[in-house]
Amino acid sequence: MTFQPTPTQIARIKAAVFVACLMPLALLALRAWRDQLGANPIEYITRATGWWTLTFLMITLTVTPARRLLSMPWLLRLRRMLGLFAFFYASLHFTTYIWLDQFFDFSDIVKDVVKRPFITVGFTAFVLLIPLAATSTNAMVKRLGARRWQWLHRAVYVIGTLGVIHFLWLVKKDIREPLVYALVLAVLLGARLVFRWRERARTKAPTVRANSHPARAGIGPS
Amino acid sequence: MLIRRSTDIIPSEITPRALFEDRRAFLRDAGLFAAGLAVTGLGARAVQAQGKPFAGARKSPLSVAEAATPFKDVTTYNNFYEFGTGKDDPAERAGTLKPRPWTISVEGECAKPKRWDIDELMKLAAVEERIYRLRCVEGWSMVIPWNGFPLSELVKRAEPNSKAKYVEFVTLSDEKQMPGVRLPVLDWPYVEGLRMDEAMHPLALLTFGLYGDLLPNQNGAPVRIVVPWKYGFKSAKSIVRIRFTETEPKTAWNKAIPSEYGFYSNVNPQVDHPRWSQAKERRIGEFGKRATLMFNGYGEQVASLYAGMDLKKYY
């Protein structure tokens, strides 16, 4: 038996998740307040916000496999919020780079984005997140139609991949941490492929059976 | 280039070991006494002065007149992969390194190879205070008051022969003392190298301390080199072997990623790292970035070493 919350319970869960999602920011702010960001605070903030962006992307991508494997369809109700938090931390990460790191030196920023592959992919991932955040409301789902909306939001697979590449390309030598993200992403995307194959097999199987039925297929010995 | 002739030490000048150890015992006792005073709030200053062996070191004219990076930052933000790849790993994990007893083997193409005891080596020449800029290849920089004497003092004593074109520096690689070497992040032991003329340059410092005190473990205790016109990773830490070679040493980062880290690795704002710009740097403790200077600002002293060389090719 799996847990199926009532609407009130869902509202409470959502509120709790919302607060939990703000904890990384709260902890970062607390560390800043206590002067515990180390010798290079800007680097620390950049790393922390980047790390949380990737983590929230992975959590968001976990919703679909989790709700199917655990038979907890209501988990879907949390996905939008988690995805928006990924965008929220990505915005903080991007702002840190533009403001604290480069201090609005736009000629240098443009050079960076064009010349440095790890910044190019990170920037691309961020830009691709914007339309997803903008079309996250119920009204936008309606306006676009479920099919087109879903097609657009599959961009998150690309975004997750670019995010991992961004991390992989920026480290000097020790790639263990980005590899962990790569592995998690591979499992999450792989799960979707497995689901698809199974679905295809399931939908195909009856058709095959139907077609093979002599009367319906219209073929066979007469 | 002016290289001072070495003054040979007369045997009678060398402190006998017994006396030396006696003096240590005295200092220890004096320390206890001073600590006692400190508790009563009387001798705090005395404790501080006697705890720092290089507190009275001669201030070198080769120092820069820039504000030094706070001691806390210098000793908590380090790249020392033998203790882990995080910046705070060395400060947290280098406690297992035992900087005494320690020997440094000077060997290779030279007439007088020798195994030096660290305490003997420290007395080879007068230790000075040298305030140098340090520019990391990652794009940050510090200003650090080091304590040491010119590397050339040691090189000269070994009497390198005509085949000695390069000097290789090998860092300790001991799993028991250095948890980071269990992982094959780099090809251990860490090896660095200089061309002979670079090693003989008066700015190349054989370093035993910082901020007047012995080197903290995370900064490369008990002995390291500091080559201020090159990216930080060229300045090998916790050295156990110095070898004179005819061929260019195979250095650790060059072996790891040859397209990104060359043998020379002189600080050069015009030659970018393939993945990031080297035009600017963030001085630790400052908010904005500052322009990176050619040869880290030591061009006047060292540019002649590279006259006629294509620095884009020999990065």
Side-chain angles (χ1 to χ4, degrees), chain B residues 27 30-31 34 44-55 210-214:
Chain B
L27 283 173
R45 192 177 287 175
V47 168
Q48 217 175 30
Q50 70 101 327
K52 293 186 174 179
F54 312 121
L210 61 82
Y211 266 104
D213 210 342
L214 291 175

Side-chain angles (χ1 to χ4, degrees), chain A residues 38-40 42-43 99-103 105 108 112 115-118 168-174 176, chain B residues 73 77 79 81 85 137-138 183 185 253 256-257 261 272-277 280 282 284-285 287 289:
Chain A
N40 196 344
I42 296 173
E43 182 194 49
W99 179 20
L100 300 181
D101 192 56
Q102 299 291 324
F103 206 71
D105 187 335
D108 267 19
D112 253 4
K115 270 178 78 177
R116 315 286 161 207
F118 87 90
L168 201 64
W169 282 352
L170 78 87
V171 297
K172 230 163 99 192
K173 186 79 208 322
D174 184 4
R176 280 175 297 160
Chain B
D73 292 340
Y77 190 75
N79 277 324
Y81 278 20
T85 55
V137 73
E138 295 166 352
L183 288 166
V185 183
W253 277 102
I257 318 177
Y261 308 101
D272 285 344
H273 183 282
R275 290 185 284 152
W276 54 80
S277 165
K280 288 195 221 169
R282 171 162 291 115
I284 295 303
F287 177 74
K289 288 189 174 181

Side-chain angles (χ1 to χ4, degrees), chain B residues 10 44 61 71 86 89 103 107 115 132 189 204-205 211 214 221 229-230 277:
Chain B
I10 316 159
F71 178 80
D89 286 340
T103 54
E107 56 188 55
R115 240 185 139 76
Y132 280 165
L205 194 70
Y211 266 104
L214 291 175
W229 70 94
K230 290 175 181 282
S277 165

Side-chain angles (χ1 to χ4, degrees), chain B residues 15-262:
Chain B
T15 315
R17 188 165 190 98
L19 202 70
F20 173 64
E21 273 164 358
D22 243 348
R23 191 160 59 195
R24 290 203 140 184
F26 167 75
L27 283 173
R28 192 184 61 229
D29 294 342
L32 284 176
F33 173 68
L37 282 182
V39 172
T40 60
L42 286 169
R45 192 177 287 175
V47 168
Q48 217 175 30
Q50 70 101 327
K52 293 186 174 179
F54 312 121
R58 186 180 77 94
K59 296 193 184 322
S60 166
L62 294 167
S63 289
V64 295
E66 288 171 36
T69 307
F71 178 80
K72 191 177 174 242
D73 292 340
V74 172
T75 55
T76 55
Y77 190 75
N78 308 97
N79 277 324
F80 197 167
Y81 278 20
E82 282 82 344
F83 297 103
T85 55
K87 292 279 185 303
D88 40 10
D89 286 340
E92 279 167 17
R93 299 163 76 186
T96 46
L97 179 74
K98 290 198 293 280
R100 295 287 188 293
W102 191 281
T103 54
I104 304 101
S105 169
V106 179
E107 56 188 55
E109 303 291 349
C110 63
K112 290 187 174 164
K114 182 181 160 88
R115 240 185 139 76
W116 289 85
D117 177 75
I118 181 67
D119 290 308
E120 183 191 2
L121 181 63
M122 256 166 60
K123 284 183 285 185
L124 177 63
V127 170
E128 314 168 12
E129 181 198 70
R130 298 259 184 111
I131 306 170
Y132 280 165
R133 291 179 211 99
L134 172 103
R135 168 63 154 82
C136 178
V137 73
E138 295 166 352
W140 52 268
S141 65
M142 294 184 179
V143 175
I144 305 176
W146 301 107
N147 300 105
F149 53 73
L151 175 62
S152 61
E153 294 284 351
L154 176 61
V155 172
K156 278 185 298 188
R157 290 216 179 25
E159 296 179 13
N161 61 35
S162 61
K163 279 194 196 160
K165 303 277 194 309
Y166 296 91
V167 190
E168 181 186 81
F169 304 89
V170 182
T171 297
L172 178 73
S173 172
D174 178 5
E175 271 187 26
K176 277 183 243 122
Q177 299 184 60
M178 301 168 143
V181 302
R182 284 177 209 142
L183 288 166
V185 183
L186 292 170
D187 185 7
W188 311 112
Y190 192 89
V191 171
E192 254 312 330
L194 295 171
R195 219 168 53 188
M196 186 54 90
D197 58 343
E198 295 176 326
M200 291 303 288
H201 194 279
L203 280 172
L205 194 70
L206 192 66
T207 307
F208 306 96
L210 61 82
Y211 266 104
D213 210 342
L214 291 175
L215 280 173
N217 290 353
Q218 62 268 33
N219 295 85
V223 59
R224 63 173 295 167
I225 51 165
V226 176
V227 192
W229 70 94
K230 290 175 181 282
Y231 292 118
F233 69 89
K234 289 295 294 178
S235 295
K237 304 186 185 87
S238 304
I239 296 168
V240 290
R241 196 160 74 234
I242 296 176
R243 203 161 64 94
F244 300 102
T245 64
E246 193 171 11
T247 52
E248 193 180 278
K250 299 261 178 288
T251 57
W253 277 102
N254 182 243
K255 268 197 284 183
I257 318 177
S259 60
E260 298 186 350
Y261 308 101

